[in-house]
Amino acid sequence: MARLVMKFGGTSVADIDRIRNVARHVKREVDAGFAVAVVVSAMSGKTNELVAWTRAAAPMHDAREYDTVVASGEQVTSGLLAIALQEIGVNARSWQGWQIPILTDGAHGAARIMEIDGSRLIERMAQGQVAVIAGFQGLAPDNRIATLGRGGSDTSAVAIAAAIGAVRCDIYTDVDGVYTTDPRIVPKARRLDRVSHEEMLEMASLGAKVLQVRSVELAMVHGVRTFVRSSFDDPADPRLADAENPPGTLICDEDEIVEKQVVTGIAYSKDEAQISLREVADKPGVAAAVFVPLAEANINVDMIVQNVSEDGTTTDMTFTVPTSELERAMKVLEGARSSIGYSSLQGSGDLVKVSVIGIGMRSHAGVAASAFRALAGKSINIRAITTSEIKISILIDSAYTELAVRTLHSLYGLDAA
Ligand code: ADP
Ligand code: ASP
Ligand code: MG
């Protein structure tokens, strides 16, 4: 019997009616002859609420207890969906991460899956029982619950699909696939039939939260066929029954994409804060004096720009860090002031990183130049730029997010007709 993984995100299980609807989707696949494992997220908003409670209890708290609290949302939905399935005559039981077990490393709050023993799941599924698995959680080496970082249920789903040798991993969400950009801010965004792993990795790490980055990595490494599709479709719609090509977006290898576009998508991330150090001495060793202490404090630096100051002997250094790390980074740099030697330090959180992504950029020159021209035409000031083989990222003031994303979306011919 072919095995199938179906993952349902927070909005798909937001209330009991939606959970009943999910149960009907699951029943459709069971009736079609699949042995099904379902992975569920917490009800939408629940994880945010749980996270806020841990912060309210103590701003700095024990990450193991954070995990105990935030993993509970998924426990609730796994049980509720098992009940809803039993109610419509489908044999089902819930599984928590530790029961399978899904073993993770010890990085509580942002753990990585190390190993999944799929044998017990496979055995039960072969007996015709649907496994309803709490996403986002596993068991750490200290024998305690660990969570996989926000959006981690996607990763649970792909990892389970790999562990049980599923023919497909369907990620059901509140949009019917991966779009050229976030359809919530660009109504003209187009659904993509296929996206390569490389592009999806970039899109996810540059802000498109439709899939967690780690899930895309796992899908690529383990060759898991991953589809992004909508849970809001009517489960009885006959078009959903196409086992080979369900409606949605397939995340696949590059060579499975016939029509390669120069630009495939635009992503944006508000998770970027800028730090500027003014009048730093222009001499060897200064960059190390700035970035080594940040690295030692485990703060990731992303974009870096250096300009020579007017007097020619000093430079201004500007770089970005995750917004959540801004305060800590500023403290580290204040502490290192005497070894760096700068005249002033400024931090700003009101920025956004907009990225243009496409494997076609490898063989096309001028993609960046046309983006800069188009943004200049809208009077949008670019504060920093980074590029790689298949992406260009620019840092701008957040007030211009929508204008910039829409401008670039039209520029590269991505608008829906
Ligand atoms: P779930 O709760 O199902 O995991 P998420 O909220 O994590 O869902 O991800 C789905 C959301 O991702 C969509 O509602 C959409 O706003 C957002 N999104 C951002 N970029 C894209 C994109 N390029 N294509 C599709 N959705 C996107
Ligand atoms: N419930 C978790 C979160 O909100 C995991 C997920 O939804 O994927 O981050
Ligand atoms: Mg998600």
Side-chain angles (χ1 to χ4, degrees):
M1 218 201 265
R3 288 184 280 271
L4 178 69
V5 171
M6 306 172 75
K7 180 258 171 177
F8 294 90
T11 35
S12 309
V13 293
D15 55 38
I16 300 299
D17 274 344
R18 295 232 175 117
I19 291 177
R20 286 206 188 101
N21 193 55
V22 165
R24 288 193 287 269
H25 278 292
V26 174
K27 184 172 189 314
R28 182 192 68 238
E29 302 293 8
V30 170
D31 291 346
F34 285 108
V36 178
V38 189
V39 174
V40 285
S41 294
M43 290 172 162
S44 75
K46 193 68 203 173
T47 309
N48 286 346
E49 182 184 48
L50 296 169
V51 170
W53 285 349
T54 61
R55 289 196 185 130
M60 297 291 289
H61 47 257
D62 184 337
R64 294 163 299 190
E65 303 307 349
Y66 166 95
D67 278 347
T68 303
V69 175
V70 300
S72 65
E74 273 72 10
Q75 174 162 342
V76 172
T77 40
S78 64
L80 288 173
L81 179 58
I83 293 172
L85 283 164
Q86 291 165 3
E87 182 67 8
I88 57 172
V90 177
N91 179 6
R93 73 154 273 194
S94 64
W95 296 79
Q96 306 311 301
W98 60 268
Q99 292 171 317
I100 291 174
I102 295 173
L103 301 179
T104 71
D105 65 10
H108 281 282
R112 284 166 78 95
I113 296 175
M114 305 307 285
E115 199 189 320
I116 299 179
D117 179 355
S119 56
R120 290 164 74 188
L121 287 178
I122 291 173
E123 199 180 302
R124 293 294 188 92
M125 289 164 72
Q127 293 163 6
Q129 188 177 61
V130 171
V132 185
I133 300 161
F136 185 49
Q137 52 165 270
L139 185 67
D142 57 5
N143 207 28
R144 303 194 56 177
I145 296 170
T147 62
L148 309 179
R150 300 305 306 271
S153 297
D154 298 326
T155 301
S156 308
V158 174
I160 286 162
I164 64 172
V167 289
R168 225 172 59 219
C169 180
D170 285 349
I171 305 282
Y172 285 81
T173 182
D174 55 3
V175 283
D176 60 357
V178 177
Y179 278 69
T180 46
T181 192
D182 188 344
R184 294 195 198 289
I185 76 155
V186 181
K188 285 182 181 162
R190 249 186 315 118
R191 189 178 79 189
L192 297 160
D193 288 335
R194 292 175 174 222
V195 186
S196 71
H197 288 121
E198 289 83 353
E199 288 167 320
M200 195 64 236
L201 261 184
E202 292 284 9
M203 283 172 74
S205 41
L206 295 167
K209 70 166 186 167
V210 60
L211 285 177
Q212 200 197 34
V213 179
R214 184 79 185 122
S215 72
V216 186
E217 283 170 4
L218 286 182
M220 182 155 89
V221 171
H222 296 286
V224 175
R225 281 188 96 65
T226 306
F227 267 94
V228 177
R229 55 190 297 187
S230 171
S231 71
F232 296 148
D233 291 333
D234 176 2
D237 185 334
R239 281 171 303 173
L240 303 196
D242 183 347
E244 283 305 307
N245 279 304
T249 303
L250 173 68
I251 319 298
C252 59
D253 284 335
E254 192 180 326
D255 51 21
E256 287 185 74
I257 296 177
V258 187
E259 274 181 69
K260 294 196 175 58
Q261 307 294 322
V262 177
V263 170
T264 303
I266 317 278
Y268 66 94
S269 158
K270 297 200 162 150
D271 184 34
E272 207 88 6
Q274 175 179 294
I275 296 179
S276 294
L277 295 167
R278 304 275 174 228
E279 294 181 66
V280 181
D282 194 5
K283 60 173 198 221
V286 169
V290 173
F291 297 116
V292 169
L294 291 171
E296 281 170 354
N298 248 325
I299 297 170
N300 274 328
V301 173
D302 180 19
M303 305 168 120
I304 302 177
V305 183
Q306 195 178 330
N307 325 84
V308 176
S309 309
E310 276 168 18
D311 61 9
T313 61
T314 60
T315 99
D316 288 349
M317 211 179 257
T318 298
F319 51 88
T320 63
V321 295
T323 312
S324 57
E325 302 283 16
L326 177 61
E327 220 175 292
R328 225 159 52 82
M330 296 287 281
K331 285 215 176 80
V332 168
L333 294 167
E334 275 158 22
R337 181 168 190 161
S338 58
S339 59
I340 304 169
Y342 53 81
S343 71
S344 69
L345 170 67
Q346 289 159 353
S348 152
D350 222 4
L351 299 154
V352 64
K353 182 166 72 173
V354 177
S355 305
V356 176
I357 296 132
I359 35 181
M361 273 188 229
R362 286 193 198 123
S363 48
H364 277 78
V367 179
S370 56
F372 303 152
R373 197 180 323 115
L375 295 174
K378 301 282 180 189
S379 303
I380 299 173
N381 188 33
I382 300 175
R383 289 165 171 267
I385 302 165
T386 51
T387 62
S388 78
E389 214 187 13
I390 66 164
K391 71 124 207 274
I392 306 156
S393 296
I394 53 158
L395 191 70
I396 60 171
D397 291 342
S398 63
Y400 296 105
T401 310
E402 293 189 14
L403 180 61
V405 173
R406 288 186 182 153
T407 300
L408 296 171
H409 198 264
S410 302
L411 174 71
Y412 296 113
L414 300 175
D415 289 354

